[in-house]
Amino acid sequence: MAVSQTTLWNLISGILGVICLLLMTTMGILLKNLLLTESIQPTLSPGPITELQKGSDCCSCPKRWIGHQCNCYLFFDELKSWTESRDFCASQNSSLLHIQNRDELRFVSSSKYFYWIGVYYSKENGTWLWENGLALPQDLLQTIQTFDTKKCVIYSSSHSVLDVSCEDKSRFICKQELM
């Protein structure tokens, strides 16, 4: 009787050992695939591949960009100066965010951070302008008229705008206009 119990326990131990090996192998394969998938993810450069984004209304945006009212937006968490941000957006065939209306203002207000926006003070015109040369709508960012004209502007989701040194590092939003 003692021999049959030992044989039974050896059999059970062997089966449990095989199950453990199978589980460890499965976990190893799953972790390897997970890490490999993460390392293949696209970098900040969206590349030429485009696909229709959810909620884009009518536009086809590059991967990782968000479509809204026929424009594409890319929110960057990387911290850069205003000039570095503007130049990076330009390298992506876009510009720093410029807000055209209240709906767009609400759309970009979903974040909790401050972002560089594409506004600058034009000494030539004596006023603040968007990067593309258009004037700021009077009803959007009224407090900007009192800002230090030697500084740059950041925007937050609380509808706050601040003037800060253009050399400070901040997040930024690039915008591609498709229409």
Side-chain angles (χ1 to χ4, degrees), residues 1-62:
M1 186 131 161
V3 173
S4 68
Q5 282 183 337
T6 305
T7 307
L8 181 62
W9 283 114
N10 285 342
L11 180 62
I12 291 172
S13 296
I15 291 171
L16 290 175
V18 170
I19 290 172
C20 278
L21 284 174
L22 287 172
L23 288 173
M24 287 181 10
T25 303
T26 303
M27 286 298 294
I29 291 170
L30 290 173
L31 285 173
K32 179 183 173 190
N33 288 342
L34 177 67
L35 293 174
L36 182 61
T37 302
E38 285 180 4
S39 68
I40 297 176
Q41 293 300 317
T43 60
L44 287 180
S45 176
I49 301 168
T50 59
E51 60 185 36
L52 193 60
Q53 302 290 316
K54 276 189 177 177
S56 64
D57 301 334
C58 63
C59 58
S60 181
C61 294

Side-chain angles (χ1 to χ4, degrees), residues 71-86:
N71 296 308
C72 299
Y73 302 84
L74 189 54
F75 292 73
F76 282 93
D77 287 330
E78 186 177 343
L79 303 177
K80 294 183 180 280
S81 71
W82 188 87
T83 303
E84 291 170 334
S85 300
R86 181 198 61 202

Side-chain angles (χ1 to χ4, degrees), residues 97 99 102 105-106 108-119 130 136 139-147 152-164 170-171 173:
L97 175 68
I99 303 165
R102 289 220 173 269
L105 188 65
R106 279 188 294 278
V108 298
S109 294
S110 60
S111 178
K112 60 184 174 183
Y113 301 108
F114 276 95
Y115 292 92
W116 289 122
I117 58 174
V119 67
W130 291 115
L136 277 72
D139 62 334
L140 285 181
L141 306 171
Q142 292 112 350
T143 59
I144 204 168
Q145 301 306 327
T146 63
F147 285 174
C152 293
V153 178
I154 56 176
Y155 173 78
S156 84
S157 63
S158 63
H159 303 285
S160 300
V161 284
L162 298 174
D163 56 338
V164 297
S170 186
R171 292 169 169 82
I173 303 171

